[in-house]
Amino acid sequence: MSDTSFDAEVTAKAAESGANASARFRERMATGSARPGVVDTMRVDHLASKVIRALNDIVIEDRVSYEEYNALKAWLIKVGEDGEWPLFLDVWLEHSVETVANAHREGSKGTIEGPYYIEDAPDLPWNGTIPMRDDEPGTPLVFTGQARAVDGTPLPGAKIELWHADDLGFYSQFAPGLPEWNLRGTWTANEDGRYEIHTLRPAAYQIPIDGACGQLIAAAGWHAWRPAHLHFKVSAPGYQLITTQLYFPGDPHNDDDIASAVKPELILDPKPDPAGEGVVVDYDFVLDLES
Ligand code: DHB
Ligand code: FE
């Protein structure tokens, strides 16, 4: 395979990931976990008026031309056609929503969920290995730690859901050609609240660049990278579920993540595995009591 056809294949897979994210979000809204309650009329009035006013202020202040206005209109239409609203919102807005939602937490830091979570990933024991292909490329990673409450109480039976991209930056069920549950799993902490997760070190991830979001990135001269990351949801009965991501030191994009989702507390400290070729890392998840 020549380099060009490889790039074309990677680009096509990325485009499909964007569109699939819209379809999956629509399903989750219809059937379950992401379904919103009714938003109060006064709150819609307040927020929608504020958004419209802010946009009008920008047009006046920055003397936006008809040319620019029409470019924006065409681009907004394309975001929808490409199915990229989940990408756009999760990259450029979700981090602020997360900041507001988790401001009160005393336990582990959260960060954005992003567009690629799937519920009910396969159940694994406290020390299980993530589902992967026989020839899955990547460095082995052993992730250990303890789920506990803010007061130090261990949380036996805590659920640790992990999902991450493969070595090319693709997520199963969004990019085509990957086994359904590739690099997705649910671990149950042991009687001491401990877990030992066997997976691979994920690669850095570039958001799809051949759709509307990519068009914006190119037009503005930005880059499309997120640093390598592991996504987690950790929960236990009586405690607030936490959605977070963990990162690796030295990644060039930790300081300029396109999704603004890196926090210093979320950067791991991996060490060479004394027992093998890969790396080991320890990280505890600390959950807040349900309010
Ligand atoms: C996007 C992808 C991610 O993997 C992530 O964690 C956040 C955002 C995105 O493409 O929008
Ligand atoms: Fe991600």
Side-chain angles (χ1 to χ4, degrees):
M1 198 192 286
S2 78
D3 280 346
T4 353
S5 68
F6 177 78
D7 285 350
E9 188 195 332
V10 167
T11 306
K13 281 174 105 171
E16 209 161 320
S17 295
N20 283 342
S22 277
R24 299 309 289 246
F25 181 70
R26 232 179 272 127
E27 257 169 58
R28 272 177 83 200
M29 287 285 279
T31 58
S33 55
R35 193 207 299 252
V38 175
V39 181
D40 180 64
T41 305
M42 279 179 49
R43 185 77 175 153
V44 176
D45 173 28
H46 172 74
L47 294 175
S49 300
K50 231 170 153 170
V51 169
I52 291 167
R53 204 177 315 126
L55 290 170
N56 278 278
D57 287 349
I58 293 167
V59 171
I60 303 289
E61 269 170 44
D62 289 283
R63 306 177 59 80
V64 171
S65 68
Y66 260 105
E67 211 174 18
E68 290 165 335
Y69 173 66
N70 285 336
L72 172 66
K73 224 185 212 180
W75 182 77
L76 289 170
I77 291 167
K78 187 170 161 57
V79 178
E81 285 170 352
D82 292 350
E84 287 198 346
W85 280 117
L87 260 63
F88 175 81
L89 292 165
D90 294 351
V91 165
W92 283 296
L93 197 59
E94 190 190 352
H95 64 96
S96 293
V97 179
E98 189 278 327
T99 299
V100 172
N102 287 333
H104 64 279
R105 276 186 198 262
E106 292 173 43
S108 297
K109 289 278 179 206
T111 191
I112 68 169
E113 177 175 315
Y116 299 141
Y117 172 64
I118 305 273
E119 277 165 27
D120 300 323
D123 280 317
L124 298 160
W126 75 279
N127 60 353
T129 300
I130 204 164
M132 65 172 98
R133 293 166 288 184
D134 289 342
D135 55 352
E136 193 71 49
T139 309
L141 172 72
V142 183
F143 182 96
T144 58
Q146 187 187 39
R148 52 187 163 80
V150 171
D151 70 3
T153 312
L155 299 173
K159 293 279 175 206
I160 297 104
E161 295 175 82
L162 165 63
W163 71 104
H164 65 82
D166 69 11
D167 204 48
L168 293 175
F170 292 117
Y171 286 85
S172 58
Q173 299 193 42
F174 292 90
L178 295 167
E180 186 177 22
W181 294 106
N182 210 51
L183 305 178
R184 295 176 183 274
T186 308
W187 285 257
T188 300
N190 72 9
E191 62 281 5
D192 302 316
R194 299 203 63 89
Y195 41 82
E196 182 185 294
I197 293 172
H198 295 259
T199 187
L200 299 172
R201 209 179 144 136
Y205 167 87
Q206 196 176 20
I207 78 157
I209 52 169
D210 63 342
C213 290
Q215 201 180 35
L216 170 63
I217 288 164
W222 301 337
H223 74 77
W225 290 95
R226 297 217 58 221
H229 57 280
L230 301 164
H231 288 269
F232 290 93
K233 279 182 187 277
V234 182
S235 58
Y239 292 84
Q240 294 175 40
L241 177 149
I242 184 125
T243 301
T244 193
Q245 301 183 23
L246 296 172
Y247 303 91
F248 295 87
D251 190 304
H253 295 292
N254 282 342
D255 295 327
D256 68 347
D257 176 13
I258 190 176
S260 312
V262 182
K263 304 177 185 184
E265 299 88 344
L266 301 178
I267 299 181
L268 294 166
D269 183 20
K271 306 248 171 20
D273 186 347
E277 352 130 44
V279 290
V280 292
V281 67
D282 199 72
Y283 187 89
D284 295 343
F285 290 110
V286 182
L287 301 188
D288 284 71
L289 270 173
E290 231 157 40
S291 40

